[in-house]
Amino acid sequence: MDDFGAGSFGKFQHPEITAKGESRARVALTNPKTLWFNTGTLCNITCENCYIESSPSNDRLVYLTADEVTGYLDQLAERGWEVTEIGFTGGEPFMNPEILEMTRRALARGYEVLILTNAMQPMMRKTMRAGLQVLAREYGEKLTLRVSLDHWSSRLHDLERGAGSYERTLEGMRWLRDAGIRMAVAGRTVWGETEAEARAGYAALFAREGFAVNASRPGEMVLFPEMDIRAEVPEITTACWGILGKDPSEVMCASSRMVVKRKGAARPAVVACTLLPYEAEFEMGETLAEAEGDVALNHPHCAKFCVLGGASCSG
């Protein structure tokens, strides 16, 4: 630790100590269960509050290739990480032309695969639908598509994702239902309703549509808090674990890492967290060996989303 004193810098600025001079909490990779791949930040839509700012023009993270994914799957075996799940996120993963091959390679090694999608036009292209049906026949419930449905009502969902997006997403979900492909759903908790009210709304929708998603199970129906970088949140100190009654192993960076490829980079890199793909201080290196170090909780998302909000991107 250097000799920075309390009050000499602001919140979330020093990796080791908080603005009050207390020891910042850190999280070790104690139980690696999920390896995420960001397939690229391009998306078919622009959402009002996308934490990664995905859009039809954002290519800050470029498309990964299936061979690059294979390289990290090889490293998983070499390092002995007991990962059970491979996750693909974006952007919209179905914008990446190699998403089906990436998925196949992960499934073929015995991993469960989770793909995050808006279930709209990219997923609904003929080649994608045909490929998903083949994978579902071969690997069954090893494959799950988690659909972003920000609210159970069309009015609030469309407020976030644009007019008509709710119905287009439901069309994709109906196709997944009819194709027998396992679904989960991700929503938001920013609409001024209790969690019980939100889950009841989703449950009614799923019942009407015949979607095999249990809205009362957090692994099937995930509700995420809004991630507003401007919100005032406390820094997490080493003392917080005891105060909050929380174990560091419960925080997402104790069990996962994410692979990204930056525009102009020769090779992919590994970052500590799915929520912080752009911040240089959360990039850990190009290999999984380098990514085995611990993570300083030096960002508002660490506090609000992971520690205080208790959220996780995995099921």
Side-chain angles (χ1 to χ4, degrees):
M1 183 183 297
D2 58 33
D3 57 2
F4 274 88
S8 62
F9 50 88
K11 293 171 67 174
F12 300 106
Q13 291 185 8
H14 191 279
E16 301 294 338
I17 54 177
T18 69
K20 293 181 179 180
E22 300 172 291
S23 295
R24 184 177 305 286
R26 303 181 71 88
V27 173
L29 184 68
T30 55
N31 186 32
K33 291 300 181 186
T34 304
L35 182 61
W36 288 93
F37 292 92
N38 188 297
T39 62
T41 41
L42 287 173
C43 187
N44 55 302
I45 58 175
T46 302
C47 296
E48 187 69 23
N49 294 292
C50 179
Y51 77 95
I52 202 171
E53 299 175 343
S54 297
S55 75
S57 61
N58 180 4
D59 60 353
R60 290 175 68 183
L61 301 182
V62 298
Y63 288 153
L64 285 174
T65 68
D67 285 345
E68 287 168 337
V69 168
T70 293
Y72 284 96
L73 298 180
D74 290 342
Q75 289 182 51
L76 282 177
E78 293 163 4
R79 301 302 300 174
W81 288 21
E82 295 183 356
V83 160
T84 57
E85 178 185 61
I86 300 298
F88 294 104
T89 183
E92 169 53 50
F94 288 102
M95 298 278 284
N96 187 311
E98 297 192 34
I99 182 60
L100 293 174
E101 182 59 22
M102 295 176 192
T103 302
R104 174 178 292 281
R105 294 186 188 189
L107 288 166
R109 296 200 185 200
Y111 294 110
E112 295 182 7
V113 171
L114 177 65
I115 305 176
L116 311 191
T117 180
N118 57 38
M120 296 170 73
Q121 292 93 329
M123 187 198 79
M124 291 294 282
R125 285 177 290 168
K126 185 176 180 180
T127 53
M128 293 297 176
R129 285 185 289 150
L132 284 171
Q133 286 178 305
V134 171
L135 291 173
R137 283 198 299 270
E138 293 181 3
Y139 297 100
E141 292 197 350
K142 283 282 195 178
L143 173 64
T144 302
L145 272 64
R146 190 167 77 199
V147 179
S148 296
L149 192 66
D150 288 320
H151 196 258
W152 48 267
S153 73
S154 60
R155 182 180 69 84
L156 293 180
H157 177 88
D158 284 2
L159 190 66
E160 173 67 24
R161 295 183 179 252
S165 61
Y166 179 85
E167 185 55 36
R168 290 196 296 276
T169 292
L170 284 190
E171 288 175 6
M173 294 176 73
R174 291 169 186 140
W175 179 82
L176 290 169
R177 174 200 65 198
D178 295 343
I181 297 173
R182 187 181 185 192
M183 272 193 292
V185 172
R188 294 177 183 246
T189 60
V190 296
W191 311 112
E193 61 190 2
T194 67
E195 180 174 338
E197 289 169 338
R199 292 190 182 279
Y202 280 106
L205 170 66
F206 299 160
R208 287 196 304 271
E209 294 286 347
F211 297 152
V213 181
N214 187 336
S216 66
R217 293 186 60 188
E220 294 185 37
M221 175 68 246
V222 186
L223 290 171
F224 289 123
E226 193 64 81
M227 292 179 290
D228 185 354
I229 194 65
R230 300 162 298 179
E232 183 66 22
V233 294
E235 295 184 279
I236 304 300
T237 70
T238 54
C240 288
W241 303 123
I243 295 169
L244 297 170
K246 193 176 184 77
D247 192 286
S249 65
E250 300 172 31
V251 180
M252 188 162 54
C253 52
S255 60
S256 68
R257 293 290 185 263
M258 183 169 76
V259 177
V260 304
K261 189 172 185 182
R262 306 192 189 285
K263 187 175 183 178
R267 289 174 294 277
V270 187
V271 297
C273 177
T274 60
L275 309 179
L276 300 168
Y278 302 133
E279 284 76 357
E281 64 269 31
F282 288 90
E283 184 169 321
M284 307 188 78
E286 294 180 354
T287 68
L288 294 187
E290 294 171 287
E292 289 172 353
D294 60 4
V295 178
L297 301 185
N298 192 25
H299 194 280
H301 287 351
C302 303
K304 182 176 181 181
F305 191 81
C306 291
V307 177
L308 301 177
S312 171
C313 284
S314 297

Short mmCIF file of all heavy atoms in Angstrom, two decimals, residues 45-84:
data_model
loop_
_atom_site.label_atom_id
_atom_site.label_comp_id
_atom_site.label_asym_id
_atom_site.label_seq_id
_atom_site.Cartn_x
_atom_site.Cartn_y
_atom_site.Cartn_z
N ILE A 45 -30.57 -3.35 -31.62
CA ILE A 45 -31.33 -2.23 -31.07
C ILE A 45 -30.45 -1.42 -30.13
O ILE A 45 -29.37 -1.86 -29.72
CB ILE A 45 -32.59 -2.70 -30.31
CG1 ILE A 45 -32.20 -3.66 -29.16
CG2 ILE A 45 -33.59 -3.35 -31.26
CD1 ILE A 45 -33.38 -4.07 -28.29
N THR A 46 -30.93 -0.22 -29.80
CA THR A 46 -30.27 0.63 -28.80
C THR A 46 -31.23 0.81 -27.64
O THR A 46 -32.30 1.40 -27.81
CB THR A 46 -29.91 2.00 -29.39
OG1 THR A 46 -29.05 1.82 -30.53
CG2 THR A 46 -29.20 2.86 -28.36
N CYS A 47 -30.87 0.28 -26.48
CA CYS A 47 -31.73 0.38 -25.30
C CYS A 47 -31.47 1.69 -24.57
O CYS A 47 -30.39 2.27 -24.64
CB CYS A 47 -31.51 -0.80 -24.36
SG CYS A 47 -31.99 -2.38 -25.08
N GLU A 48 -32.46 2.11 -23.81
CA GLU A 48 -32.36 3.38 -23.08
C GLU A 48 -31.26 3.34 -22.03
O GLU A 48 -30.55 4.32 -21.83
CB GLU A 48 -33.71 3.69 -22.42
CG GLU A 48 -33.78 5.06 -21.76
CD GLU A 48 -33.77 6.20 -22.76
OE1 GLU A 48 -34.14 5.98 -23.94
OE2 GLU A 48 -33.38 7.32 -22.36
N ASN A 49 -31.11 2.20 -21.35
CA ASN A 49 -30.15 2.10 -20.24
C ASN A 49 -29.33 0.83 -20.35
O ASN A 49 -29.37 -0.02 -19.48
CB ASN A 49 -30.88 2.14 -18.89
CG ASN A 49 -31.54 3.47 -18.62
OD1 ASN A 49 -30.87 4.47 -18.43
ND2 ASN A 49 -32.87 3.49 -18.62
N CYS A 50 -28.57 0.70 -21.42
CA CYS A 50 -27.72 -0.48 -21.61
C CYS A 50 -26.38 -0.23 -20.92
O CYS A 50 -25.66 0.71 -21.28
CB CYS A 50 -27.51 -0.76 -23.09
SG CYS A 50 -26.44 -2.18 -23.42
N TYR A 51 -26.04 -1.07 -19.95
CA TYR A 51 -24.82 -0.84 -19.18
C TYR A 51 -23.57 -0.93 -20.05
O TYR A 51 -22.53 -0.33 -19.76
CB TYR A 51 -24.71 -1.85 -18.03
CG TYR A 51 -24.29 -3.24 -18.45
CD1 TYR A 51 -22.95 -3.63 -18.39
CD2 TYR A 51 -25.21 -4.16 -18.91
CE1 TYR A 51 -22.56 -4.88 -18.78
CE2 TYR A 51 -24.82 -5.42 -19.30
CZ TYR A 51 -23.50 -5.78 -19.23
OH TYR A 51 -23.12 -7.03 -19.64
N ILE A 52 -23.64 -1.64 -21.17
CA ILE A 52 -22.48 -1.81 -22.05
C ILE A 52 -22.59 -0.95 -23.31
O ILE A 52 -21.72 -0.98 -24.16
CB ILE A 52 -22.32 -3.31 -22.40
CG1 ILE A 52 -20.90 -3.62 -22.83
CG2 ILE A 52 -23.33 -3.75 -23.44
CD1 ILE A 52 -20.63 -5.10 -22.99
N GLU A 53 -23.68 -0.18 -23.39
CA GLU A 53 -23.92 0.76 -24.50
C GLU A 53 -23.93 0.06 -25.85
O GLU A 53 -23.47 0.59 -26.86
CB GLU A 53 -22.87 1.87 -24.48
CG GLU A 53 -22.90 2.69 -23.19
CD GLU A 53 -21.78 3.72 -23.11
OE1 GLU A 53 -20.80 3.60 -23.88
OE2 GLU A 53 -21.88 4.64 -22.28
N SER A 54 -24.47 -1.15 -25.88
CA SER A 54 -24.58 -1.87 -27.15
C SER A 54 -25.52 -1.14 -28.09
O SER A 54 -26.50 -0.53 -27.67
CB SER A 54 -25.10 -3.28 -26.90
OG SER A 54 -24.22 -4.02 -26.11
N SER A 55 -25.24 -1.24 -29.38
CA SER A 55 -26.06 -0.57 -30.39
C SER A 55 -25.67 -1.10 -31.76
O SER A 55 -24.68 -1.84 -31.89
CB SER A 55 -25.84 0.94 -30.35
OG SER A 55 -24.58 1.28 -30.92
N PRO A 56 -26.39 -0.71 -32.81
CA PRO A 56 -25.99 -1.13 -34.17
C PRO A 56 -24.66 -0.54 -34.63
O PRO A 56 -24.14 -0.98 -35.66
CB PRO A 56 -27.15 -0.60 -35.03
CG PRO A 56 -28.31 -0.53 -34.11
CD PRO A 56 -27.74 -0.09 -32.80
N SER A 57 -24.09 0.40 -33.87
CA SER A 57 -22.83 1.02 -34.29
C SER A 57 -21.68 0.85 -33.29
O SER A 57 -20.54 1.21 -33.60
CB SER A 57 -23.04 2.51 -34.55
OG SER A 57 -23.48 3.17 -33.38
N ASN A 58 -21.94 0.29 -32.11
CA ASN A 58 -20.89 0.15 -31.10
C ASN A 58 -20.09 -1.12 -31.34
O ASN A 58 -20.55 -2.22 -31.05
CB ASN A 58 -21.48 0.14 -29.69
CG ASN A 58 -20.40 0.00 -28.61
OD1 ASN A 58 -19.21 -0.02 -28.91
ND2 ASN A 58 -20.82 -0.09 -27.37
N ASP A 59 -18.88 -0.96 -31.87
CA ASP A 59 -18.00 -2.12 -32.07
C ASP A 59 -16.73 -2.00 -31.24
O ASP A 59 -15.67 -2.47 -31.63
CB ASP A 59 -17.66 -2.30 -33.55
CG ASP A 59 -16.94 -1.09 -34.15
OD1 ASP A 59 -16.82 -0.06 -33.45
OD2 ASP A 59 -16.49 -1.18 -35.31
N ARG A 60 -16.85 -1.40 -30.06
CA ARG A 60 -15.69 -1.31 -29.16
C ARG A 60 -15.18 -2.69 -28.78
O ARG A 60 -13.99 -2.88 -28.59
CB ARG A 60 -16.05 -0.51 -27.90
CG ARG A 60 -16.26 0.97 -28.15
CD ARG A 60 -16.73 1.68 -26.88
NE ARG A 60 -15.69 1.72 -25.86
CZ ARG A 60 -15.88 2.24 -24.65
NH1 ARG A 60 -17.07 2.74 -24.31
NH2 ARG A 60 -14.89 2.26 -23.77
N LEU A 61 -16.11 -3.64 -28.64
CA LEU A 61 -15.73 -5.04 -28.50
C LEU A 61 -16.14 -5.74 -29.79
O LEU A 61 -17.31 -5.73 -30.15
CB LEU A 61 -16.41 -5.69 -27.29
CG LEU A 61 -16.14 -5.05 -25.93
CD1 LEU A 61 -16.85 -5.83 -24.83
CD2 LEU A 61 -14.65 -4.96 -25.63
N VAL A 62 -15.18 -6.32 -30.47
CA VAL A 62 -15.45 -6.89 -31.79
C VAL A 62 -15.82 -8.37 -31.65
O VAL A 62 -15.71 -8.97 -30.58
CB VAL A 62 -14.24 -6.71 -32.73
CG1 VAL A 62 -13.97 -5.23 -32.95
CG2 VAL A 62 -13.00 -7.39 -32.16
N TYR A 63 -16.24 -8.95 -32.76
CA TYR A 63 -16.67 -10.34 -32.75
C TYR A 63 -15.53 -11.27 -32.36
O TYR A 63 -14.43 -11.23 -32.94
CB TYR A 63 -17.16 -10.75 -34.14
CG TYR A 63 -18.48 -10.17 -34.56
CD1 TYR A 63 -18.77 -10.00 -35.92
CD2 TYR A 63 -19.45 -9.80 -33.63
CE1 TYR A 63 -19.99 -9.48 -36.33
CE2 TYR A 63 -20.66 -9.27 -34.03
CZ TYR A 63 -20.92 -9.11 -35.39
OH TYR A 63 -22.12 -8.59 -35.80
N LEU A 64 -15.79 -12.14 -31.41
CA LEU A 64 -14.90 -13.26 -31.13
C LEU A 64 -15.11 -14.33 -32.21
O LEU A 64 -16.17 -14.42 -32.82
CB LEU A 64 -15.22 -13.87 -29.77
CG LEU A 64 -14.77 -13.13 -28.51
CD1 LEU A 64 -15.33 -13.84 -27.28
CD2 LEU A 64 -13.26 -13.05 -28.42
N THR A 65 -14.10 -15.16 -32.41
CA THR A 65 -14.22 -16.28 -33.33
C THR A 65 -14.37 -17.58 -32.55
O THR A 65 -14.00 -17.67 -31.37
CB THR A 65 -13.00 -16.39 -34.25
OG1 THR A 65 -11.86 -16.77 -33.46
CG2 THR A 65 -12.71 -15.07 -34.96
N ALA A 66 -14.85 -18.59 -33.22
CA ALA A 66 -15.00 -19.90 -32.58
C ALA A 66 -13.64 -20.46 -32.18
O ALA A 66 -13.51 -21.11 -31.13
CB ALA A 66 -15.73 -20.86 -33.52
N ASP A 67 -12.62 -20.22 -32.98
CA ASP A 67 -11.28 -20.72 -32.64
C ASP A 67 -10.74 -20.02 -31.39
O ASP A 67 -10.04 -20.65 -30.59
CB ASP A 67 -10.32 -20.54 -33.81
CG ASP A 67 -10.57 -21.54 -34.93
OD1 ASP A 67 -11.27 -22.54 -34.70
OD2 ASP A 67 -10.06 -21.31 -36.05
N GLU A 68 -11.05 -18.74 -31.22
CA GLU A 68 -10.62 -18.05 -30.01
C GLU A 68 -11.33 -18.61 -28.78
O GLU A 68 -10.71 -18.78 -27.71
CB GLU A 68 -10.87 -16.54 -30.16
CG GLU A 68 -9.89 -15.87 -31.12
CD GLU A 68 -10.28 -14.47 -31.52
OE1 GLU A 68 -11.49 -14.12 -31.44
OE2 GLU A 68 -9.38 -13.71 -31.93
N VAL A 69 -12.59 -18.92 -28.94
CA VAL A 69 -13.32 -19.55 -27.84
C VAL A 69 -12.69 -20.90 -27.51
O VAL A 69 -12.46 -21.23 -26.33
CB VAL A 69 -14.82 -19.71 -28.19
CG1 VAL A 69 -15.52 -20.63 -27.19
CG2 VAL A 69 -15.50 -18.35 -28.24
N THR A 70 -12.38 -21.69 -28.51
CA THR A 70 -11.76 -22.99 -28.30
C THR A 70 -10.45 -22.85 -27.51
O THR A 70 -10.15 -23.67 -26.63
CB THR A 70 -11.49 -23.69 -29.64
OG1 THR A 70 -12.75 -24.01 -30.25
CG2 THR A 70 -10.69 -24.98 -29.45
N GLY A 71 -9.68 -21.82 -27.82
CA GLY A 71 -8.43 -21.61 -27.09
C GLY A 71 -8.65 -21.47 -25.60
O GLY A 71 -7.87 -22.00 -24.79
N TYR A 72 -9.70 -20.78 -25.21
CA TYR A 72 -9.98 -20.61 -23.78
C TYR A 72 -10.61 -21.87 -23.18
O TYR A 72 -10.38 -22.17 -22.00
CB TYR A 72 -10.87 -19.39 -23.56
CG TYR A 72 -10.09 -18.10 -23.69
CD1 TYR A 72 -10.07 -17.39 -24.88
CD2 TYR A 72 -9.33 -17.62 -22.62
CE1 TYR A 72 -9.32 -16.23 -25.01
CE2 TYR A 72 -8.58 -16.47 -22.74
CZ TYR A 72 -8.58 -15.77 -23.94
OH TYR A 72 -7.83 -14.62 -24.06
N LEU A 73 -11.36 -22.62 -23.96
CA LEU A 73 -11.85 -23.91 -23.47
C LEU A 73 -10.69 -24.85 -23.19
O LEU A 73 -10.70 -25.59 -22.21
CB LEU A 73 -12.82 -24.52 -24.48
CG LEU A 73 -14.10 -23.74 -24.79
CD1 LEU A 73 -14.94 -24.49 -25.82
CD2 LEU A 73 -14.91 -23.46 -23.54
N ASP A 74 -9.66 -24.79 -24.05
CA ASP A 74 -8.45 -25.58 -23.81
C ASP A 74 -7.78 -25.14 -22.50
O ASP A 74 -7.32 -25.98 -21.71
CB ASP A 74 -7.47 -25.44 -24.97
CG ASP A 74 -7.93 -26.12 -26.24
OD1 ASP A 74 -8.83 -26.99 -26.16
OD2 ASP A 74 -7.42 -25.76 -27.32
N GLN A 75 -7.72 -23.83 -22.29
CA GLN A 75 -7.10 -23.32 -21.07
C GLN A 75 -7.87 -23.75 -19.81
O GLN A 75 -7.27 -24.00 -18.77
CB GLN A 75 -7.01 -21.80 -21.11
CG GLN A 75 -5.99 -21.26 -22.10
CD GLN A 75 -5.93 -19.74 -22.06
OE1 GLN A 75 -5.78 -19.13 -21.00
NE2 GLN A 75 -6.05 -19.11 -23.23
N LEU A 76 -9.18 -23.81 -19.91
CA LEU A 76 -9.97 -24.29 -18.77
C LEU A 76 -9.51 -25.68 -18.33
O LEU A 76 -9.34 -25.95 -17.14
CB LEU A 76 -11.46 -24.34 -19.12
CG LEU A 76 -12.23 -23.03 -19.13
CD1 LEU A 76 -13.67 -23.28 -19.57
CD2 LEU A 76 -12.22 -22.37 -17.75
N ALA A 77 -9.31 -26.55 -19.31
CA ALA A 77 -8.86 -27.91 -19.00
C ALA A 77 -7.44 -27.88 -18.43
O ALA A 77 -7.13 -28.58 -17.45
CB ALA A 77 -8.92 -28.77 -20.26
N GLU A 78 -6.58 -27.07 -19.03
CA GLU A 78 -5.19 -27.00 -18.58
C GLU A 78 -5.08 -26.45 -17.16
O GLU A 78 -4.25 -26.92 -16.37
CB GLU A 78 -4.39 -26.11 -19.54
CG GLU A 78 -4.23 -26.69 -20.93
CD GLU A 78 -3.80 -25.66 -21.95
OE1 GLU A 78 -3.55 -24.49 -21.54
OE2 GLU A 78 -3.72 -25.99 -23.14
N ARG A 79 -5.89 -25.47 -16.83
CA ARG A 79 -5.80 -24.83 -15.51
C ARG A 79 -6.58 -25.59 -14.44
O ARG A 79 -6.44 -25.32 -13.26
CB ARG A 79 -6.33 -23.39 -15.58
CG ARG A 79 -5.62 -22.47 -16.56
CD ARG A 79 -4.15 -22.36 -16.26
NE ARG A 79 -3.87 -21.83 -14.93
CZ ARG A 79 -2.64 -21.76 -14.41
NH1 ARG A 79 -1.61 -22.20 -15.09
NH2 ARG A 79 -2.46 -21.26 -13.20
N GLY A 80 -7.43 -26.50 -14.86
CA GLY A 80 -8.21 -27.27 -13.89
C GLY A 80 -9.33 -26.49 -13.24
O GLY A 80 -9.77 -26.86 -12.14
N TRP A 81 -9.81 -25.44 -13.90
CA TRP A 81 -10.96 -24.72 -13.36
C TRP A 81 -12.18 -25.65 -13.42
O TRP A 81 -12.44 -26.28 -14.44
CB TRP A 81 -11.26 -23.47 -14.19
CG TRP A 81 -10.27 -22.35 -14.03
CD1 TRP A 81 -8.99 -22.42 -13.58
CD2 TRP A 81 -10.50 -20.98 -14.35
NE1 TRP A 81 -8.40 -21.20 -13.60
CE2 TRP A 81 -9.30 -20.28 -14.07
CE3 TRP A 81 -11.59 -20.27 -14.86
CZ2 TRP A 81 -9.17 -18.91 -14.27
CZ3 TRP A 81 -11.47 -18.91 -15.07
CH2 TRP A 81 -10.28 -18.23 -14.76
N GLU A 82 -12.93 -25.70 -12.35
CA GLU A 82 -14.10 -26.58 -12.32
C GLU A 82 -15.35 -25.86 -12.85
O GLU A 82 -16.41 -25.88 -12.23
CB GLU A 82 -14.31 -27.09 -10.89
CG GLU A 82 -13.17 -27.99 -10.42
CD GLU A 82 -13.40 -28.56 -9.05
OE1 GLU A 82 -14.42 -28.21 -8.42
OE2 GLU A 82 -12.55 -29.34 -8.59
N VAL A 83 -15.19 -25.25 -13.99
CA VAL A 83 -16.29 -24.53 -14.63
C VAL A 83 -17.33 -25.52 -15.15
O VAL A 83 -16.99 -26.54 -15.74
CB VAL A 83 -15.74 -23.64 -15.77
CG1 VAL A 83 -16.83 -23.26 -16.76
CG2 VAL A 83 -15.08 -22.38 -15.20
N THR A 84 -18.59 -25.20 -14.92
CA THR A 84 -19.68 -26.04 -15.42
C THR A 84 -20.49 -25.34 -16.50
O THR A 84 -21.24 -25.99 -17.22
CB THR A 84 -20.63 -26.42 -14.28
OG1 THR A 84 -21.14 -25.22 -13.66
CG2 THR A 84 -19.91 -27.26 -13.23
#
